[in-house]
Amino acid sequence: MSFQPRYEKYEYTARGASVRAQSIVECRLADWSGNRVLAVQPSVVSGGAEVSSGEVRYGGRLFFSVVAATPEGALIAAERGAEFSHRAECAEAAPAQTADVALRVEKTEVRADGRSLVLSAIVTAEIRLFVPSELQWLSGGEGVVCRRSPVRLQRITPCAGTVSLEEEFDTDYVGDVLLHSEQILLTRVVCSAGCLEVSGEINIGILSRREEGDPVSYERLLPFSAEIPCDEASSGLPCEARACILSANLTASCDEEKGRCRILARIEAEVRGIVCRREELVMADDAFLPGFSCTVRREEYAAQEPLCSFTANERVCGAAALNGTIDFSTSLQAAALCSVEAAAEASDGEISVDGVLNAVLFCKEGETERGIPVSLPFSFPVRCDRARAGCAVSVSALCCGVSVRQKKEGEAEVEGTVRLFVTLSSRESYSYVADVEAGDALPEGSAVSVYFPAAGDTLWDTAKRLGAAPEQLQASEPGLTYPLTGGERIVVYRRKGE
């Protein structure tokens, strides 16, 4: 008996490898060695990425905003930027793939070099690849018997767009804006016809100098919404997204008579997302060749699909770690450059969130201005009925309303609100038959034989052991009920030559 297998194919875009890379970026402040640096605020913007064989090349621009005290005690500020490029090795990378790169600054250092100050930072890149893929599976054929089951495949469509925001707001009268920082958080991501509908908020933190020279901080929470074009999007499809700040420009106009200052903020942000389209195919999960031994080659298909996304808020407080010392003679002036790092893990019905709230405490001892980094670790649970152990969780966060006070001498108590956007995703995997290879012909049995099944044997188990198609077995043994009990006896008649 000959056999001729038949195959089917499915082409789609899938999630590929994830890569993490780091690079050190430096720039120089000339003639600044005489100033005492109080705080450095770095920000990084991606400049795109290119995938080639075995590597991903990416780049961007790193900005440093610096606040310092002059030898005379006055507060001054400066901004510098540096472009950079780097490559991340990845054995799975290939030119047909695309890369989504998220950049962040993990560590900043300042060192003197002659009359200049050298600003350096470690820039970490989290890279995820999107891969044109093809599945080929055994679908049947002459002399091939297959068992089929439904498999949910996932087709990924990346998308991206920009959001422009312009907002005016008032603050108390200030002499000068020293620096500003921005945090962005999505609060809603929904798939609609032809686009992703996103909403979110941007928290602007401003460090200013009063007329008398003391620092003061303000913040403003700005809501936004946008539609990110995506041709493959349709209402109700699973989706996810993240956002980052591309540029932020603030201008201030002050009214001395009214004692007020008007701030005009122009912000551009980027939103990058993916849309997941589910398609159900019927694929073989087992196969055999009647009359022959055979080797079945199986492959695994795995996918991660967003289940739900939601927001959560938590007020955190406690004694913070100080990169410096304070006492009751220290005058606490402002908490600025606030940021938050968070990670999450799912269990049944709950998501555990851990992270750190960071800020710079500006204070004064006598006539000396100081900037002291403070860090408050936190941990809290978030209730989620759909959460299950093993689910993937991604979380983005911003902090607002941060304050620092000294209840006990030498101890800084930090309080602030952590706002989260949580995306919960399920992981699914399937095994399918990619191919079957014939072995030796099986020896012929007796003309009449009796088969003793095991308890729990299904129709497929029994047909496979007898080397008959399931429908053929059902036609010849219509009285059998599956799964079998183990007490049945199946008489097999073989014609000569079978």
Side-chain angles (χ1 to χ4, degrees):
M1 178 181 180
S2 63
F3 75 97
Q4 185 65 43
R6 185 175 63 249
Y7 305 94
E8 291 186 30
K9 292 181 180 181
Y10 178 77
E11 295 180 349
Y12 63 108
T13 300
R15 300 175 193 259
S18 295
V19 187
R20 185 175 185 269
Q22 290 185 319
S23 56
I24 298 177
V25 183
E26 294 185 345
C27 69
R28 184 178 294 267
L29 274 171
D31 297 325
W32 258 61
S33 60
N35 300 318
R36 184 165 44 84
V37 174
L38 303 181
V40 178
Q41 169 67 15
S43 61
V44 63
V45 177
S46 174
E50 181 181 354
V51 185
S52 56
S53 297
E55 66 180 24
V56 180
R57 295 183 179 273
Y58 64 93
R61 187 169 179 83
L62 179 65
F63 299 90
F64 293 95
S65 298
V66 186
V67 174
T70 66
E72 296 75 28
L75 293 178
I76 59 173
E79 291 186 351
R80 293 292 186 275
E83 293 185 349
F84 66 93
S85 61
H86 193 66
R87 67 182 186 91
E89 294 184 356
C90 177
E92 296 91 342
Q97 302 173 8
T98 58
D100 179 23
V101 181
L103 300 176
R104 69 176 186 273
V105 180
E106 291 201 343
K107 187 178 181 181
T108 303
E109 291 184 348
V110 180
R111 71 177 188 273
D113 185 13
R115 293 176 54 84
S116 301
L117 291 180
V118 177
L119 310 172
S120 66
I122 297 176
V123 177
T124 297
E126 301 287 351
I127 305 168
R128 58 179 182 179
L129 298 178
F130 297 104
V131 183
S133 303
E134 180 183 270
L135 284 183
Q136 178 175 286
W137 68 94
L138 181 70
S139 61
E142 182 183 347
V144 180
V145 180
C146 293
R147 181 179 65 184
R148 297 172 177 84
S149 61
V151 174
R152 290 200 316 166
L153 300 181
Q154 183 187 83
R155 186 189 299 272
I156 298 292
T157 303
C159 57
T162 57
V163 180
S164 296
L165 185 66
E166 184 172 306
E167 184 86 8
E168 281 189 315
F169 54 92
D170 292 337
T171 67
D172 294 335
Y173 182 80
V174 295
D176 192 15
V177 174
L178 295 172
L179 58 77
H180 53 88
S181 61
E182 292 75 35
Q183 305 173 74
I184 187 168
L185 181 73
L186 295 178
T187 57
R188 179 176 176 268
V189 179
V190 176
C191 199
S192 186
C195 69
L196 286 186
E197 296 180 3
V198 300
S199 301
E201 51 197 19
I202 298 171
N203 191 23
I204 303 176
I206 303 172
L207 180 68
S208 301
R209 180 180 57 206
R210 301 182 192 272
E211 276 196 306
E212 58 270 23
D214 293 335
V216 61
S217 62
Y218 300 96
E219 70 174 6
R220 182 79 170 189
L221 205 60
L222 306 179
F224 70 88
S225 60
E227 294 183 352
I228 308 303
C230 179
D231 292 340
E232 295 297 318
S234 58
S235 181
L237 289 182
C239 60
E240 61 182 77
R242 63 172 181 82
C244 64
I245 300 293
L246 293 178
S247 64
N249 295 294
L250 270 64
T251 56
S253 57
C254 297
D255 189 327
E256 294 186 23
E257 293 183 0
K258 294 182 179 179
R260 301 293 290 173
C261 184
R262 170 146 291 216
I263 305 292
L264 173 61
R266 293 186 176 93
I267 299 174
E268 187 174 15
E270 182 183 49
V271 177
R272 303 187 71 86
I274 60 171
V275 173
C276 306
R277 182 176 292 276
R278 295 167 292 188
E279 298 186 20
E280 188 171 283
L281 301 179
V282 177
M283 303 172 70
D285 61 13
D286 199 6
F288 66 89
L289 306 177
F292 292 85
S293 64
C294 64
T295 301
V296 175
R297 180 168 63 85
R298 291 180 171 84
E299 292 187 0
E300 292 288 327
Y301 170 81
Q304 179 176 305
E305 180 178 295
L307 288 175
C308 63
S309 57
F310 58 92
T311 59
N313 297 330
E314 186 76 13
R315 191 72 178 169
V316 298
C317 63
L322 287 167
N323 189 14
T325 59
I326 59 173
D327 55 34
F328 282 145
S329 68
T330 306
S331 173
L332 308 187
Q333 297 171 311
L337 306 182
C338 302
S339 64
V340 64
E341 303 168 25
E345 184 176 343
S347 58
D348 291 345
E350 188 176 273
I351 294 174
S352 300
V353 180
D354 298 281
V356 179
L357 189 156
N358 300 303
V360 175
L361 171 62
F362 289 86
C363 55
K364 197 170 188 178
E365 289 186 358
E367 296 301 316
T368 303
E369 295 283 356
R370 300 176 62 195
I372 302 176
V374 298
S375 299
L376 175 66
F378 59 81
S379 179
F380 55 85
V382 176
R383 181 69 186 173
C384 178
D385 293 338
R386 300 186 69 178
R388 295 292 180 270
C391 285
V393 185
S394 63
V395 59
S396 53
L398 66 71
C399 58
C400 55
V402 177
S403 62
V404 183
R405 57 183 175 175
Q406 187 179 191
K407 281 187 173 181
K408 297 180 180 179
E409 189 166 21
E411 184 177 286
E413 183 179 277
V414 174
E415 184 175 5
T417 297
V418 175
R419 301 167 71 88
L420 303 174
F421 184 66
V422 182
T423 300
L424 183 70
S425 301
S426 64
R427 294 187 176 105
E428 295 181 342
S429 62
Y430 302 92
S431 174
Y432 64 94
V433 176
D435 202 359
V436 62
E437 183 178 343
D440 297 332
L442 298 175
E444 294 185 0
S446 304
V448 180
S449 60
V450 180
Y451 173 66
F452 298 87
D457 277 359
T458 64
L459 173 61
W460 175 260
D461 296 330
T462 307
K464 189 174 181 180
R465 289 191 178 98
L466 295 176
E471 55 272 18
Q472 180 184 348
L473 178 59
Q474 278 187 312
S476 61
E477 299 287 347
L480 294 178
T481 302
Y482 300 93
L484 301 176
T485 64
E488 298 87 351
R489 301 293 180 265
I490 301 175
V491 180
V492 181
Y493 300 91
R494 290 186 175 84
R495 296 177 182 178
K496 185 174 181 181
E498 287 186 339

